[in-house]
Amino acid sequence: MVGGIGASLLLPAMQSLIHGNFEGAAQKKAYALVGAAAAIAAAVGPLLGGFITTYLSWRIGFLLEVVIIAIVLSNIRLVHDAPYTGPRGVDVVGAVLSVLGMGGVVLGILVWQEGGEAVAALLAIGAIALAGLVFWLARRKRQEKPTLLDPQLFESKHFRLGISQQLLQQIALGGTMIALPIYLQMVLEYNAMQAGLSIAPLSLSMFGMAVLAGRRTGTRRPSSIIRLGFALLTGGMLLLIPIVPRADSGWYLLVPLVIAGAGLGLLVSQLNNYTLAPISEERVSEAAGVNSAGGSFGLSFGLAFAGAIMLATLSVTFTNMAQASSVLEPGEKQRVATALEDDAQVLSNTQLDEQLVGQPEDVQAEIIRINTDARPLALQVALLVPILAGLLGLFNSFRMMRLPEIKPSGSVEAMGLG
């Protein structure tokens, strides 16, 4: 929890520093480089984490995080601060409502995923808290009191669209990053290292395209680059749908992941700059915080929702296939369906085979068949989450194209980055 709070503070702080220290085209390049750095971290993270988990211990991963933080802190004097001159009052009620709202929605999905109770209550609390937050912020603004965030930020169409696109991009990324590793480890029976290598093309192409876009966008409109990014992201995800049932190794995923990663790279190189460009200097810290919160919520939602959809599909498919089986006896069907719902959804076929020792061979073979047939379908359904997010982002990008472009406020030469 403490680490999550730290990360939520770092993201808006970095965006504010970029906005305060760079202008014009140099600012675009800085945002693109930060996006590229995030992309390469996404590439190295699964590989390094997979290596540590497979060959050492997961505890080593936390130790390495401490080392990385120490390196960052040792160079903190190199960071040029961008002073904040706005009001410093704290909106406690707004903060509580935001936590209850976003937390309630994500927690409700996670509880549903685990088959827990009170799912509807948690989702209702989240929805009511978010509605209450909107009302509270508007009221505080009318009373000219400090607010968690200024509702007037959303009067800018560029900012509204940028936030929504950031949310959708992160939902797509989160949904992809939860569904594919589960598929690789449970269906293809890869260890963490092999799974990390298999999804590396997504992150590596994301990094390469973010760097390239930061250097070569020229006079192209950010909205047109964002439109292409969502088109590539959606196309790559759609290509995975027919491949999933036929894949017997991670190599089958290479081309779709490269295409989707290229789309994500274009998005991370442009979205932050597009969203914060219309914001004045004195309000950019607040806007960056909203931008980061939207992205973090989108990532959490994508992870939770895609995982929940995947497991729910497995549960329904297990039950239907068991009931339709001509091999299982009537008395065994419900027992097998219940067992598969509770256990098999988190087991590979090899692990499941070990659990079936002592069962008749025909029953073992039938349960393995059900397990094998259900999982590709579950992944295909889970991939609908990033596909739908990509399609919505593509639709929004056409709305962005109709808005006038915001001109850079300075020159590359003035920043020394030409």
Side-chain angles (χ1 to χ4, degrees):
M1 180 177 178
V2 175
I5 294 173
S8 66
L9 293 174
L10 283 173
L11 289 173
M14 287 191 297
Q15 293 176 12
S16 298
L17 287 170
I18 292 171
H19 198 91
N21 284 281
F22 300 96
E23 294 180 359
Q27 190 178 90
K28 290 183 179 181
K29 183 180 290 188
Y31 277 123
L33 290 175
V34 169
I40 195 62
V44 173
L47 294 176
L48 185 59
F51 176 82
I52 292 171
T53 303
T54 303
Y55 300 110
L56 300 173
S57 167
W58 59 267
R59 294 177 177 85
I60 302 295
F62 290 98
L63 179 61
L64 288 177
E65 289 189 13
V66 174
V67 173
I68 292 170
I69 293 170
I71 294 172
V72 172
L73 291 177
S74 67
N75 292 281
I76 197 68
R77 286 178 293 182
L78 299 176
V79 177
H80 298 285
D81 199 8
Y84 174 68
T85 58
R88 297 184 179 274
V90 177
D91 180 8
V92 176
V93 174
V96 171
L97 287 173
S98 69
V99 171
L100 288 175
M102 291 185 285
V105 171
V106 174
L107 185 60
I109 295 172
L110 291 174
V111 171
W112 171 50
Q113 175 179 321
E114 296 297 325
E117 299 178 355
V119 174
L122 287 170
L123 293 174
I125 289 172
I128 292 170
L130 288 174
L133 177 63
V134 174
F135 171 79
W136 175 260
L137 293 176
R139 179 189 176 197
R140 295 277 288 186
K141 184 66 178 178
R142 288 195 302 269
Q143 296 173 345
E144 298 184 351
K145 295 180 179 180
T147 57
L148 180 68
L149 58 96
D150 190 346
Q152 287 185 342
L153 287 172
F154 293 91
E155 291 180 0
S156 167
K157 291 183 179 180
H158 290 81
F159 185 76
R160 289 201 306 269
L161 282 171
I163 287 288
S164 63
Q165 296 292 68
Q166 185 85 258
L167 178 75
L168 291 169
Q169 179 239 324
Q170 291 292 82
I171 289 175
L173 179 60
T176 303
M177 295 302 285
I178 189 66
L180 288 180
I182 291 176
Y183 170 80
L184 291 165
Q185 293 186 57
M186 290 198 299
V187 177
L188 301 185
E189 303 194 17
Y190 281 5
N191 59 32
M193 182 67 182
Q194 291 171 318
L197 287 170
S198 295
I199 63 175
L202 177 77
S203 302
L204 291 174
S205 59
M206 182 177 170
F207 167 70
M209 186 56 72
V211 172
L212 184 63
R215 294 177 177 175
R216 299 293 181 88
T217 53
T219 59
R220 294 181 182 87
R221 295 185 62 187
S223 53
S224 66
I225 298 173
I226 291 170
R227 181 176 60 180
L228 178 59
F230 274 112
L232 289 173
L233 169 62
T234 306
M237 292 293 103
L238 285 170
L239 282 177
L240 284 173
I241 297 295
I243 290 175
V244 163
R246 299 168 176 81
D248 56 11
S249 79
W251 287 106
Y252 283 79
L253 311 180
L254 176 63
V255 173
L257 290 184
V258 168
I259 294 173
L264 286 168
L266 291 175
L267 294 175
V268 299
S269 73
Q270 302 297 318
L271 277 175
N272 285 332
N273 183 68
Y274 181 92
T275 305
L276 299 180
I279 306 301
S280 60
E281 294 294 333
E282 62 270 14
R283 303 175 69 187
V284 70
S285 295
E286 184 179 11
V290 177
N291 187 40
S292 295
S296 297
F297 176 68
L299 185 63
S300 300
F301 182 86
L303 288 165
F305 192 57
I309 289 292
M310 188 173 187
L311 295 183
T313 304
L314 281 168
S315 176
V316 172
T317 307
F318 287 154
T319 301
N320 291 341
M321 287 186 172
Q323 294 295 341
S325 173
S326 59
V327 175
L328 301 177
E329 296 293 332
E332 293 180 318
K333 290 183 177 181
Q334 187 57 48
R335 180 174 60 83
V336 169
T338 302
L340 284 171
E341 288 180 27
D342 294 340
D343 300 318
Q345 61 187 22
V346 294
L347 297 176
S348 67
N349 278 350
T350 300
Q351 293 169 320
L352 182 59
D353 212 13
E354 295 172 357
Q355 298 288 327
L356 294 173
V357 173
Q359 296 291 330
E361 289 188 6
D362 59 339
V363 172
Q364 291 185 39
E366 182 67 358
I367 294 175
I368 293 294
R369 182 193 67 79
I370 293 173
N371 196 42
T372 300
D373 293 346
R375 287 181 173 170
L377 175 61
L379 176 61
Q380 289 174 314
V381 173
L383 288 175
L384 294 178
V385 173
I387 288 172
L388 180 58
L391 288 172
L392 289 174
L394 186 59
F395 171 78
N396 266 348
S397 68
F398 285 95
R399 297 171 60 196
M400 297 169 78
M401 290 291 293
R402 291 196 292 267
L403 296 178
E405 182 181 3
I406 296 180
K407 298 295 183 181
S409 57
S411 65
V412 179
E413 290 78 10
M415 293 291 105
L417 291 174

